[in-house]
mmCIF file of all heavy atoms in Angstrom:
data_model
loop_
_atom_site.group_PDB
_atom_site.id
_atom_site.type_symbol
_atom_site.label_atom_id
_atom_site.label_comp_id
_atom_site.label_asym_id
_atom_site.label_seq_id
_atom_site.Cartn_x
_atom_site.Cartn_y
_atom_site.Cartn_z
ATOM 1 N N MET A 26 11.801 -0.238 -6.964
ATOM 2 C CA MET A 26 10.741 -0.072 -5.958
ATOM 3 C C MET A 26 9.995 1.243 -6.136
ATOM 4 O O MET A 26 10.656 2.278 -6.296
ATOM 5 C CB MET A 26 11.441 -0.104 -4.575
ATOM 6 C CG MET A 26 10.406 -0.183 -3.442
ATOM 7 S SD MET A 26 11.205 -0.142 -1.825
ATOM 8 C CE MET A 26 12.122 -1.759 -1.842
ATOM 9 N N THR A 27 8.758 1.151 -6.185
ATOM 10 C CA THR A 27 7.885 2.357 -6.457
ATOM 11 C C THR A 27 7.399 2.820 -5.148
ATOM 12 O O THR A 27 6.726 2.198 -4.342
ATOM 13 C CB THR A 27 6.767 2.009 -7.352
ATOM 14 O OG1 THR A 27 7.249 1.478 -8.619
ATOM 15 C CG2 THR A 27 5.975 3.235 -7.738
ATOM 16 N N ARG A 28 7.696 4.128 -4.853
ATOM 17 C CA ARG A 28 7.116 4.747 -3.653
ATOM 18 C C ARG A 28 6.074 5.717 -4.008
ATOM 19 O O ARG A 28 6.142 6.465 -4.925
ATOM 20 C CB ARG A 28 8.239 5.423 -2.886
ATOM 21 C CG ARG A 28 9.208 4.518 -2.168
ATOM 22 C CD ARG A 28 10.246 5.284 -1.411
ATOM 23 N NE ARG A 28 11.069 4.283 -0.566
ATOM 24 C CZ ARG A 28 10.667 3.970 0.597
ATOM 25 N NH1 ARG A 28 9.647 4.388 1.163
ATOM 26 N NH2 ARG A 28 11.541 3.102 1.273
ATOM 27 N N PHE A 29 5.020 5.784 -3.167
ATOM 28 C CA PHE A 29 3.951 6.752 -3.383
ATOM 29 C C PHE A 29 3.261 6.843 -2.012
ATOM 30 O O PHE A 29 3.670 6.374 -1.077
ATOM 31 C CB PHE A 29 3.043 6.335 -4.508
ATOM 32 C CG PHE A 29 2.449 4.921 -4.277
ATOM 33 C CD1 PHE A 29 1.236 4.683 -3.700
ATOM 34 C CD2 PHE A 29 3.200 3.804 -4.734
ATOM 35 C CE1 PHE A 29 0.763 3.422 -3.553
ATOM 36 C CE2 PHE A 29 2.728 2.502 -4.604
ATOM 37 C CZ PHE A 29 1.451 2.310 -3.932
ATOM 38 N N LEU A 30 2.163 7.621 -2.078
ATOM 39 C CA LEU A 30 1.394 7.937 -0.907
ATOM 40 C C LEU A 30 0.056 7.189 -0.931
ATOM 41 O O LEU A 30 -0.565 7.162 -1.979
ATOM 42 C CB LEU A 30 1.199 9.406 -0.627
ATOM 43 C CG LEU A 30 2.453 10.199 -0.399
ATOM 44 C CD1 LEU A 30 2.141 11.724 -0.315
ATOM 45 C CD2 LEU A 30 3.185 9.682 0.855
ATOM 46 N N SER A 31 -0.403 6.668 0.126
ATOM 47 C CA SER A 31 -1.688 6.081 0.244
ATOM 48 C C SER A 31 -2.444 6.447 1.474
ATOM 49 O O SER A 31 -1.778 6.809 2.465
ATOM 50 C CB SER A 31 -1.542 4.471 0.169
ATOM 51 O OG SER A 31 -2.775 3.895 0.240
ATOM 52 N N ASN A 32 -3.744 6.316 1.456
ATOM 53 C CA ASN A 32 -4.420 6.608 2.686
ATOM 54 C C ASN A 32 -4.413 5.436 3.654
ATOM 55 O O ASN A 32 -4.582 4.357 3.242
ATOM 56 C CB ASN A 32 -5.869 6.913 2.429
ATOM 57 C CG ASN A 32 -6.069 8.333 1.859
ATOM 58 O OD1 ASN A 32 -5.590 8.677 0.821
ATOM 59 N ND2 ASN A 32 -6.695 9.136 2.692
ATOM 60 N N CYS A 33 -4.039 5.740 4.915
ATOM 61 C CA CYS A 33 -4.033 4.724 5.903
ATOM 62 C C CYS A 33 -5.347 4.122 6.104
ATOM 63 O O CYS A 33 -6.350 4.784 6.364
ATOM 64 C CB CYS A 33 -3.518 5.296 7.253
ATOM 65 S SG CYS A 33 -3.548 4.144 8.602
ATOM 66 N N PRO A 34 -5.498 2.749 6.033
ATOM 67 C CA PRO A 34 -6.774 2.098 6.257
ATOM 68 C C PRO A 34 -7.246 2.171 7.692
ATOM 69 O O PRO A 34 -8.418 1.936 7.956
ATOM 70 C CB PRO A 34 -6.506 0.613 5.843
ATOM 71 C CG PRO A 34 -5.026 0.426 6.069
ATOM 72 C CD PRO A 34 -4.442 1.805 5.754
ATOM 73 N N ARG A 35 -6.407 2.488 8.652
ATOM 74 C CA ARG A 35 -6.787 2.592 9.965
ATOM 75 C C ARG A 35 -7.259 4.002 10.432
ATOM 76 O O ARG A 35 -8.317 4.116 10.974
ATOM 77 C CB ARG A 35 -5.638 2.141 10.922
ATOM 78 C CG ARG A 35 -5.966 2.170 12.416
ATOM 79 C CD ARG A 35 -4.807 1.830 13.241
ATOM 80 N NE ARG A 35 -4.419 0.461 13.198
ATOM 81 C CZ ARG A 35 -3.375 -0.125 13.724
ATOM 82 N NH1 ARG A 35 -2.497 0.639 14.492
ATOM 83 N NH2 ARG A 35 -3.099 -1.244 13.685
ATOM 84 N N CYS A 36 -6.474 5.037 10.113
ATOM 85 C CA CYS A 36 -6.812 6.320 10.551
ATOM 86 C C CYS A 36 -7.114 7.329 9.457
ATOM 87 O O CYS A 36 -7.573 8.382 9.691
ATOM 88 C CB CYS A 36 -5.620 6.859 11.446
ATOM 89 S SG CYS A 36 -4.118 7.343 10.493
ATOM 90 N N GLY A 37 -6.921 6.900 8.251
ATOM 91 C CA GLY A 37 -7.162 7.760 7.056
ATOM 92 C C GLY A 37 -6.223 8.824 6.716
ATOM 93 O O GLY A 37 -6.338 9.505 5.750
ATOM 94 N N TYR A 38 -5.123 8.882 7.509
ATOM 95 C CA TYR A 38 -4.107 9.840 7.297
ATOM 96 C C TYR A 38 -3.272 9.427 6.087
ATOM 97 O O TYR A 38 -3.193 8.247 5.746
ATOM 98 C CB TYR A 38 -3.258 10.007 8.540
ATOM 99 C CG TYR A 38 -2.346 11.213 8.547
ATOM 100 C CD1 TYR A 38 -2.931 12.452 8.761
ATOM 101 C CD2 TYR A 38 -1.023 11.055 8.296
ATOM 102 C CE1 TYR A 38 -2.046 13.537 8.762
ATOM 103 C CE2 TYR A 38 -0.140 12.187 8.350
ATOM 104 C CZ TYR A 38 -0.711 13.484 8.620
ATOM 105 O OH TYR A 38 0.114 14.541 8.567
ATOM 106 N N VAL A 39 -2.600 10.370 5.469
ATOM 107 C CA VAL A 39 -1.669 10.026 4.315
ATOM 108 C C VAL A 39 -0.515 9.238 4.828
ATOM 109 O O VAL A 39 0.226 9.639 5.692
ATOM 110 C CB VAL A 39 -1.269 11.312 3.636
ATOM 111 C CG1 VAL A 39 -0.365 10.940 2.400
ATOM 112 C CG2 VAL A 39 -2.523 12.015 3.090
ATOM 113 N N ALA A 40 -0.402 8.034 4.413
ATOM 114 C CA ALA A 40 0.665 7.148 4.822
ATOM 115 C C ALA A 40 1.692 6.927 3.661
ATOM 116 O O ALA A 40 1.321 6.976 2.477
ATOM 117 C CB ALA A 40 0.006 5.838 5.322
ATOM 118 N N GLU A 41 2.870 6.482 4.046
ATOM 119 C CA GLU A 41 3.852 6.168 3.074
ATOM 120 C C GLU A 41 3.531 4.731 2.566
ATOM 121 O O GLU A 41 3.301 3.898 3.393
ATOM 122 C CB GLU A 41 5.249 6.229 3.732
ATOM 123 C CG GLU A 41 6.391 5.949 2.814
ATOM 124 C CD GLU A 41 7.725 6.101 3.571
ATOM 125 O OE1 GLU A 41 7.669 6.364 4.699
ATOM 126 O OE2 GLU A 41 8.738 5.871 2.918
ATOM 127 N N ALA A 42 3.668 4.547 1.242
ATOM 128 C CA ALA A 42 3.504 3.254 0.767
ATOM 129 C C ALA A 42 4.495 2.968 -0.374
ATOM 130 O O ALA A 42 4.951 3.909 -0.982
ATOM 131 C CB ALA A 42 2.119 3.207 0.144
ATOM 132 N N TRP A 43 4.754 1.714 -0.534
ATOM 133 C CA TRP A 43 5.783 1.384 -1.556
ATOM 134 C C TRP A 43 5.447 -0.065 -2.067
ATOM 135 O O TRP A 43 4.960 -0.849 -1.261
ATOM 136 C CB TRP A 43 7.154 1.442 -1.074
ATOM 137 C CG TRP A 43 7.626 0.528 -0.115
ATOM 138 C CD1 TRP A 43 8.217 -0.643 -0.248
ATOM 139 C CD2 TRP A 43 7.450 0.709 1.367
ATOM 140 N NE1 TRP A 43 8.494 -1.198 0.945
ATOM 141 C CE2 TRP A 43 7.986 -0.472 2.019
ATOM 142 C CE3 TRP A 43 6.888 1.724 2.125
ATOM 143 C CZ2 TRP A 43 7.991 -0.558 3.340
ATOM 144 C CZ3 TRP A 43 6.875 1.562 3.474
ATOM 145 C CH2 TRP A 43 7.444 0.486 4.086
ATOM 146 N N SER A 44 5.746 -0.304 -3.279
ATOM 147 C CA SER A 44 5.461 -1.595 -3.890
ATOM 148 C C SER A 44 6.773 -2.289 -4.132
ATOM 149 O O SER A 44 7.723 -1.813 -4.647
ATOM 150 C CB SER A 44 4.689 -1.478 -5.150
ATOM 151 O OG SER A 44 4.499 -2.777 -5.766
ATOM 152 N N GLU A 45 6.834 -3.580 -3.712
ATOM 153 C CA GLU A 45 8.035 -4.345 -3.959
ATOM 154 C C GLU A 45 7.909 -5.379 -5.102
ATOM 155 O O GLU A 45 8.887 -5.738 -5.692
ATOM 156 C CB GLU A 45 8.344 -5.221 -2.646
ATOM 157 C CG GLU A 45 8.626 -4.316 -1.445
ATOM 158 C CD GLU A 45 8.892 -5.175 -0.202
ATOM 159 O OE1 GLU A 45 8.564 -6.369 -0.244
ATOM 160 O OE2 GLU A 45 9.439 -4.592 0.744
ATOM 161 N N ASP A 46 6.645 -5.611 -5.438
ATOM 162 C CA ASP A 46 6.427 -6.623 -6.544
ATOM 163 C C ASP A 46 5.403 -6.109 -7.598
ATOM 164 O O ASP A 46 5.152 -6.800 -8.556
ATOM 165 C CB ASP A 46 6.015 -7.958 -5.994
ATOM 166 C CG ASP A 46 4.720 -7.762 -5.066
ATOM 167 O OD1 ASP A 46 4.152 -6.748 -5.137
ATOM 168 O OD2 ASP A 46 4.494 -8.722 -4.306
ATOM 169 N N GLY A 47 4.879 -4.991 -7.431
ATOM 170 C CA GLY A 47 3.930 -4.385 -8.351
ATOM 171 C C GLY A 47 2.533 -4.956 -8.197
ATOM 172 O O GLY A 47 1.611 -4.536 -8.925
ATOM 173 N N VAL A 48 2.399 -5.922 -7.318
ATOM 174 C CA VAL A 48 1.054 -6.454 -7.141
ATOM 175 C C VAL A 48 0.437 -6.029 -5.759
ATOM 176 O O VAL A 48 -0.696 -5.854 -5.638
ATOM 177 C CB VAL A 48 1.166 -8.013 -7.160
ATOM 178 C CG1 VAL A 48 -0.160 -8.642 -6.883
ATOM 179 C CG2 VAL A 48 1.609 -8.489 -8.570
ATOM 180 N N SER A 49 1.282 -5.899 -4.749
ATOM 181 C CA SER A 49 0.859 -5.470 -3.497
ATOM 182 C C SER A 49 1.625 -4.288 -3.017
ATOM 183 O O SER A 49 2.830 -4.086 -3.514
ATOM 184 C CB SER A 49 0.906 -6.614 -2.450
ATOM 185 O OG SER A 49 2.270 -7.073 -2.335
ATOM 186 N N VAL A 50 1.223 -3.566 -2.094
ATOM 187 C CA VAL A 50 1.990 -2.461 -1.489
ATOM 188 C C VAL A 50 2.123 -2.554 0.062
ATOM 189 O O VAL A 50 1.241 -3.077 0.740
ATOM 190 C CB VAL A 50 1.260 -1.118 -1.855
ATOM 191 C CG1 VAL A 50 1.268 -0.825 -3.273
ATOM 192 C CG2 VAL A 50 -0.091 -1.013 -1.232
ATOM 193 N N GLN A 51 3.315 -2.196 0.479
ATOM 194 C CA GLN A 51 3.411 -2.050 1.957
ATOM 195 C C GLN A 51 3.024 -0.604 2.373
ATOM 196 O O GLN A 51 3.383 0.360 1.725
ATOM 197 C CB GLN A 51 4.842 -2.282 2.290
ATOM 198 C CG GLN A 51 5.368 -3.688 2.192
ATOM 199 C CD GLN A 51 4.837 -4.659 3.216
ATOM 200 O OE1 GLN A 51 4.253 -5.636 2.971
ATOM 201 N NE2 GLN A 51 4.961 -4.191 4.467
ATOM 202 N N VAL A 52 2.292 -0.581 3.421
ATOM 203 C CA VAL A 52 1.781 0.732 3.887
ATOM 204 C C VAL A 52 2.335 0.971 5.305
ATOM 205 O O VAL A 52 2.305 0.103 6.160
ATOM 206 C CB VAL A 52 0.268 0.881 3.883
ATOM 207 C CG1 VAL A 52 -0.186 2.180 4.480
ATOM 208 C CG2 VAL A 52 -0.357 0.605 2.558
ATOM 209 N N ARG A 53 2.907 2.135 5.466
ATOM 210 C CA ARG A 53 3.471 2.394 6.905
ATOM 211 C C ARG A 53 2.902 3.850 7.157
ATOM 212 O O ARG A 53 3.231 4.879 6.491
ATOM 213 C CB ARG A 53 4.911 2.390 6.908
ATOM 214 C CG ARG A 53 5.509 2.740 8.288
ATOM 215 C CD ARG A 53 7.012 2.580 8.287
ATOM 216 N NE ARG A 53 7.445 1.240 8.030
ATOM 217 C CZ ARG A 53 8.690 0.848 7.708
ATOM 218 N NH1 ARG A 53 9.537 1.832 7.510
ATOM 219 N NH2 ARG A 53 8.930 -0.352 7.513
ATOM 220 N N CYS A 54 2.138 3.942 8.224
ATOM 221 C CA CYS A 54 1.546 5.164 8.633
ATOM 222 C C CYS A 54 2.310 5.741 9.836
ATOM 223 O O CYS A 54 2.446 5.140 10.835
ATOM 224 C CB CYS A 54 0.053 4.919 8.975
ATOM 225 S SG CYS A 54 -0.712 6.525 9.597
ATOM 226 N N LYS A 55 2.811 7.007 9.699
ATOM 227 C CA LYS A 55 3.536 7.618 10.745
ATOM 228 C C LYS A 55 2.618 8.126 11.786
ATOM 229 O O LYS A 55 3.076 8.504 12.975
ATOM 230 C CB LYS A 55 4.379 8.836 10.219
ATOM 231 C CG LYS A 55 5.573 8.285 9.324
ATOM 232 C CD LYS A 55 6.315 9.454 8.686
ATOM 233 C CE LYS A 55 7.443 8.835 7.831
ATOM 234 N NZ LYS A 55 8.178 9.990 7.130
ATOM 235 N N MET A 56 1.339 8.315 11.451
ATOM 236 C CA MET A 56 0.347 8.908 12.407
ATOM 237 C C MET A 56 -0.043 7.960 13.474
ATOM 238 O O MET A 56 -0.005 8.282 14.726
ATOM 239 C CB MET A 56 -0.822 9.411 11.588
ATOM 240 C CG MET A 56 -1.873 10.158 12.500
ATOM 241 S SD MET A 56 -1.195 11.601 13.320
ATOM 242 C CE MET A 56 -1.297 12.822 11.997
ATOM 243 N N CYS A 57 -0.518 6.751 13.015
ATOM 244 C CA CYS A 57 -1.054 5.815 13.984
ATOM 245 C C CYS A 57 -0.170 4.526 14.181
ATOM 246 O O CYS A 57 -0.394 3.729 15.011
ATOM 247 C CB CYS A 57 -2.390 5.352 13.640
ATOM 248 S SG CYS A 57 -2.496 4.248 12.166
ATOM 249 N N GLY A 58 0.860 4.407 13.323
ATOM 250 C CA GLY A 58 1.804 3.361 13.423
ATOM 251 C C GLY A 58 1.386 2.091 12.693
ATOM 252 O O GLY A 58 2.025 1.065 12.715
ATOM 253 N N TYR A 59 0.298 2.243 11.937
ATOM 254 C CA TYR A 59 -0.211 1.068 11.096
ATOM 255 C C TYR A 59 0.915 0.665 10.131
ATOM 256 O O TYR A 59 1.551 1.363 9.461
ATOM 257 C CB TYR A 59 -1.445 1.429 10.390
ATOM 258 C CG TYR A 59 -1.859 0.399 9.385
ATOM 259 C CD1 TYR A 59 -2.733 -0.659 9.803
ATOM 260 C CD2 TYR A 59 -1.482 0.421 8.026
ATOM 261 C CE1 TYR A 59 -3.108 -1.640 8.922
ATOM 262 C CE2 TYR A 59 -1.894 -0.601 7.226
ATOM 263 C CZ TYR A 59 -2.706 -1.635 7.580
ATOM 264 O OH TYR A 59 -3.127 -2.610 6.710
ATOM 265 N N GLU A 60 1.040 -0.680 9.967
ATOM 266 C CA GLU A 60 1.969 -1.197 9.036
ATOM 267 C C GLU A 60 1.396 -2.465 8.496
ATOM 268 O O GLU A 60 0.990 -3.369 9.254
ATOM 269 C CB GLU A 60 3.346 -1.464 9.608
ATOM 270 C CG GLU A 60 4.450 -1.711 8.644
ATOM 271 C CD GLU A 60 5.772 -1.705 9.273
ATOM 272 O OE1 GLU A 60 6.010 -1.180 10.430
ATOM 273 O OE2 GLU A 60 6.805 -2.195 8.660
ATOM 274 N N GLY A 61 1.248 -2.636 7.137
ATOM 275 C CA GLY A 61 0.656 -3.788 6.552
ATOM 276 C C GLY A 61 0.715 -3.811 5.055
ATOM 277 O O GLY A 61 1.275 -2.939 4.461
ATOM 278 N N ARG A 62 0.172 -4.883 4.537
ATOM 279 C CA ARG A 62 0.242 -5.101 3.106
ATOM 280 C C ARG A 62 -1.256 -4.967 2.543
ATOM 281 O O ARG A 62 -2.149 -5.441 3.096
ATOM 282 C CB ARG A 62 0.802 -6.486 2.845
ATOM 283 C CG ARG A 62 1.131 -6.694 1.316
ATOM 284 C CD ARG A 62 1.565 -8.145 1.124
ATOM 285 N NE ARG A 62 2.936 -8.334 1.759
ATOM 286 C CZ ARG A 62 4.044 -8.157 1.100
ATOM 287 N NH1 ARG A 62 3.998 -7.766 -0.148
ATOM 288 N NH2 ARG A 62 5.188 -8.285 1.728
ATOM 289 N N GLN A 63 -1.316 -4.348 1.361
ATOM 290 C CA GLN A 63 -2.538 -4.222 0.733
ATOM 291 C C GLN A 63 -2.436 -4.452 -0.831
ATOM 292 O O GLN A 63 -1.265 -4.392 -1.252
ATOM 293 C CB GLN A 63 -3.055 -2.697 0.802
ATOM 294 C CG GLN A 63 -3.411 -2.336 2.219
ATOM 295 C CD GLN A 63 -4.115 -0.996 2.250
ATOM 296 O OE1 GLN A 63 -3.592 0.004 1.668
ATOM 297 N NE2 GLN A 63 -5.201 -0.820 2.843
ATOM 298 N N PRO A 64 -3.521 -4.758 -1.460
ATOM 299 C CA PRO A 64 -3.496 -4.862 -2.938
ATOM 300 C C PRO A 64 -2.987 -3.572 -3.584
ATOM 301 O O PRO A 64 -3.443 -2.533 -3.085
ATOM 302 C CB PRO A 64 -4.883 -5.255 -3.379
ATOM 303 C CG PRO A 64 -5.576 -5.753 -2.105
ATOM 304 C CD PRO A 64 -4.878 -5.054 -0.926
ATOM 305 N N HIS A 65 -2.276 -3.610 -4.614
ATOM 306 C CA HIS A 65 -1.825 -2.369 -5.290
ATOM 307 C C HIS A 65 -3.030 -1.648 -5.847
ATOM 308 O O HIS A 65 -3.948 -2.249 -6.426
ATOM 309 C CB HIS A 65 -0.920 -2.809 -6.489
ATOM 310 C CG HIS A 65 -0.122 -1.727 -7.010
ATOM 311 N ND1 HIS A 65 -0.671 -0.616 -7.629
ATOM 312 C CD2 HIS A 65 1.258 -1.439 -6.945
ATOM 313 C CE1 HIS A 65 0.294 0.233 -7.957
ATOM 314 N NE2 HIS A 65 1.419 -0.233 -7.531
ATOM 315 N N PRO A 66 -3.069 -0.341 -5.564
ATOM 316 C CA PRO A 66 -4.256 0.417 -6.029
ATOM 317 C C PRO A 66 -4.508 0.540 -7.481
ATOM 318 O O PRO A 66 -5.613 0.703 -7.951
ATOM 319 C CB PRO A 66 -3.956 1.835 -5.449
ATOM 320 C CG PRO A 66 -2.477 1.891 -5.199
ATOM 321 C CD PRO A 66 -2.095 0.512 -4.873
ATOM 322 N N ASP A 67 -3.508 0.134 -8.261
ATOM 323 C CA ASP A 67 -3.672 0.099 -9.676
ATOM 324 C C ASP A 67 -4.130 -1.164 -10.328
ATOM 325 O O ASP A 67 -4.309 -1.344 -11.398
ATOM 326 C CB ASP A 67 -2.321 0.465 -10.393
ATOM 327 C CG ASP A 67 -1.870 1.968 -10.126
ATOM 328 O OD1 ASP A 67 -2.780 2.693 -9.760
ATOM 329 O OD2 ASP A 67 -0.704 2.312 -10.369
ATOM 330 N N LEU A 68 -4.197 -2.147 -9.349
ATOM 331 C CA LEU A 68 -4.480 -3.445 -9.804
ATOM 332 C C LEU A 68 -5.859 -3.988 -9.129
ATOM 333 O O LEU A 68 -5.896 -5.070 -8.585
ATOM 334 C CB LEU A 68 -3.412 -4.416 -9.409
ATOM 335 C CG LEU A 68 -2.119 -4.174 -10.138
ATOM 336 C CD1 LEU A 68 -1.074 -5.134 -9.605
ATOM 337 C CD2 LEU A 68 -2.269 -4.338 -11.587
ATOM 338 N N LYS A 69 -6.868 -3.181 -9.223
ATOM 339 C CA LYS A 69 -8.190 -3.607 -8.667
ATOM 340 C C LYS A 69 -9.011 -4.387 -9.742
ATOM 341 O O LYS A 69 -8.582 -4.504 -10.871
ATOM 342 C CB LYS A 69 -8.941 -2.411 -8.232
ATOM 343 C CG LYS A 69 -8.271 -1.812 -6.986
ATOM 344 C CD LYS A 69 -9.154 -0.623 -6.530
ATOM 345 C CE LYS A 69 -8.546 0.061 -5.344
ATOM 346 N NZ LYS A 69 -9.233 1.288 -4.810
ATOM 347 N N ASN A 70 -10.112 -4.833 -9.347
ATOM 348 C CA ASN A 70 -11.086 -5.523 -10.271
ATOM 349 C C ASN A 70 -10.536 -6.710 -10.908
ATOM 350 O O ASN A 70 -10.505 -6.927 -12.108
ATOM 351 C CB ASN A 70 -11.513 -4.475 -11.343
ATOM 352 C CG ASN A 70 -12.244 -3.269 -10.805
ATOM 353 O OD1 ASN A 70 -12.936 -3.402 -9.703
ATOM 354 N ND2 ASN A 70 -12.056 -2.136 -11.409
ATOM 355 N N GLY A 71 -9.941 -7.557 -10.103
ATOM 356 C CA GLY A 71 -9.479 -8.901 -10.631
ATOM 357 C C GLY A 71 -8.121 -8.918 -11.226
ATOM 358 O O GLY A 71 -7.788 -9.890 -11.798
ATOM 359 N N ALA A 72 -7.386 -7.819 -11.158
ATOM 360 C CA ALA A 72 -6.120 -7.675 -11.741
ATOM 361 C C ALA A 72 -5.136 -8.576 -11.059
ATOM 362 O O ALA A 72 -4.069 -8.951 -11.604
ATOM 363 C CB ALA A 72 -5.579 -6.280 -11.753
ATOM 364 N N TRP A 73 -5.600 -9.179 -9.911
ATOM 365 C CA TRP A 73 -4.751 -10.134 -9.216
ATOM 366 C C TRP A 73 -4.423 -11.351 -10.125
ATOM 367 O O TRP A 73 -3.490 -12.121 -9.977
ATOM 368 C CB TRP A 73 -5.300 -10.699 -8.012
ATOM 369 C CG TRP A 73 -5.375 -9.702 -6.865
ATOM 370 C CD1 TRP A 73 -6.247 -8.754 -6.582
ATOM 371 C CD2 TRP A 73 -4.306 -9.517 -5.855
ATOM 372 N NE1 TRP A 73 -5.912 -8.002 -5.507
ATOM 373 C CE2 TRP A 73 -4.732 -8.437 -5.000
ATOM 374 C CE3 TRP A 73 -3.154 -10.211 -5.608
ATOM 375 C CZ2 TRP A 73 -3.955 -8.118 -3.967
ATOM 376 C CZ3 TRP A 73 -2.350 -9.770 -4.566
ATOM 377 C CH2 TRP A 73 -2.719 -8.717 -3.740
ATOM 378 N N ARG A 74 -5.323 -11.569 -11.039
ATOM 379 C CA ARG A 74 -5.178 -12.782 -11.924
ATOM 380 C C ARG A 74 -4.290 -12.601 -13.206
ATOM 381 O O ARG A 74 -4.261 -13.438 -13.988
ATOM 382 C CB ARG A 74 -6.589 -13.229 -12.420
ATOM 383 C CG ARG A 74 -7.488 -13.665 -11.235
ATOM 384 C CD ARG A 74 -8.862 -14.161 -11.775
ATOM 385 N NE ARG A 74 -9.868 -14.295 -10.798
ATOM 386 C CZ ARG A 74 -11.085 -14.659 -10.958
ATOM 387 N NH1 ARG A 74 -11.442 -14.886 -12.270
ATOM 388 N NH2 ARG A 74 -11.906 -14.736 -10.084
ATOM 389 N N VAL A 75 -3.839 -11.394 -13.333
ATOM 390 C CA VAL A 75 -3.108 -11.013 -14.467
ATOM 391 C C VAL A 75 -1.992 -12.078 -14.647
ATOM 392 O O VAL A 75 -1.214 -12.442 -13.826
ATOM 393 C CB VAL A 75 -2.439 -9.614 -14.387
ATOM 394 C CG1 VAL A 75 -1.380 -9.383 -15.428
ATOM 395 C CG2 VAL A 75 -3.440 -8.529 -14.546
ATOM 396 N N GLY A 76 -1.843 -12.568 -15.925
ATOM 397 C CA GLY A 76 -0.869 -13.526 -16.203
ATOM 398 C C GLY A 76 -1.427 -14.913 -16.036
ATOM 399 O O GLY A 76 -1.664 -15.644 -16.904
HETATM 400 ZN ZN1 ZN B 130 -2.753 5.473 10.301
#
C-alpha cells in the first residue's frame, strides 16, 4: 500500500491519501472530514485504460 499526501478536493488542505490498487487513491482529510476515492494522480490522461 502506497501512502502519500494529496490536496483535499473539498477544502484544499493537505490530506492523507493512499492507494490500494495503484489505479485509484483513497483520500481522507483531517481538516474537513472528507473521505472519498479519486483517480491516482500518476495515472491521468487516459491511463485508466492501461492494459
Ligand atoms: Zn478537506
Side-chain angles (χ1 to χ4, degrees):
M26 188 180 295
T27 304
R28 286 183 174 273
F29 53 95
L30 295 176
S31 179
N32 281 63
C33 173
R35 180 185 287 174
C36 73
Y38 194 75
V39 177
E41 181 181 1
W43 66 97
S44 177
E45 295 178 345
D46 53 15
V48 177
S49 62
V50 294
Q51 288 287 128
V52 178
R53 181 177 295 163
C54 178
K55 294 178 181 176
M56 183 63 80
C57 72
Y59 173 88
E60 192 168 344
R62 186 182 295 269
Q63 292 188 312
H65 197 291
D67 290 343
L68 295 177
K69 291 181 180 176
N70 300 324
W73 285 90
R74 299 183 192 174
V75 166

